[in-house]
Amino acid sequence: MLNPIDTDAVIRNGGAVGRYPDQIHGAVGWWMGSCLVVTAKASRLAVAHDGHPVSIEFADRLCQGATHAQHYACTVRYLRQRPAEELLAEAKAYEAPAAWVSTQPAAPGDTVHIRLYTTHGILLDETNGLADIRDLINQDRVPIPVNTQAQGKIVPWPPASPEGSCP
């Protein structure tokens, strides 16, 4: 692993949480997206963030990781800045797991929280996927695509209006 983290300290409380850039770094977003797709066996994922610049970076990386997860060719519905409640409602309608990224500014570093949810909107815990994600990262087995045909895509949501701009 190029830039290891303390997985026991960071992979907890429904996803990943840590002070940026000391405990957690952008690659963790990629790892969480990829591992969530593989552990959930997901061909779809819904993702949103709280609008903080650090959250945007982590959410973008999470989306990229999700599209590069083995053979799943995951389609990521990227809602951009949305409250967690809207994300979960959209994920339920989309029948997909979800990830919500938030950042709490603080000194000496911002605290980033990546929350991962099942298809039913239940926060991941030790019994429904979080322990498996931690194990994949601990063993440096973060999933990668098997070939370019297996790569997924990111779809901004809501889709562009007929005039070509997002509402």
Side-chain angles (χ1 to χ4, degrees):
M1 185 179 305
L2 286 175
N3 196 356
I5 59 169
D6 180 349
T7 55
D8 290 332
V10 172
I11 310 299
R12 59 186 172 88
N13 296 345
V17 60
R19 199 174 49 255
Y20 173 77
D22 301 336
Q23 297 173 315
I24 194 169
H25 50 79
V28 174
W30 199 100
W31 299 345
M32 298 302 281
S34 182
C35 290
L36 176 60
V37 167
V38 170
T39 58
K41 298 177 176 43
S43 60
R44 295 185 289 232
L45 179 67
V47 177
H49 57 75
D50 66 358
H52 188 282
V54 174
S55 299
I56 294 169
E57 174 189 344
F58 275 79
D60 288 349
R61 299 284 297 270
L62 190 144
C63 290
Q64 290 297 321
T67 64
H68 288 83
Q70 291 180 344
H71 62 278
Y72 289 94
C74 184
T75 299
V76 178
R77 187 172 280 187
Y78 190 20
L79 283 75
R80 296 174 294 273
Q81 183 177 352
R82 294 279 191 281
E85 298 77 21
E86 285 183 29
L87 166 68
L88 292 174
E90 183 63 35
K92 184 177 181 181
Y94 191 44
E95 298 178 352
W100 193 68
V101 182
S102 62
T103 301
Q104 182 179 15
D110 298 332
T111 299
V112 177
H113 200 144
I114 302 170
R115 290 174 177 86
L116 304 177
Y117 298 89
T118 68
T119 303
H120 304 292
I122 299 167
L123 193 63
L124 288 192
D125 62 25
E126 297 303 310
T127 65
N128 65 3
L130 197 59
D132 295 332
I133 290 171
R134 185 183 309 103
D135 289 345
L136 284 170
I137 295 169
N138 269 337
Q139 297 169 20
D140 198 17
R141 297 184 51 120
V142 175
I144 59 173
V146 292
N147 56 48
T148 55
Q149 289 77 28
Q151 186 171 336
K153 61 184 174 186
I154 301 168
V155 179
W157 200 259
S161 67
E163 293 79 34
S165 63
C166 290

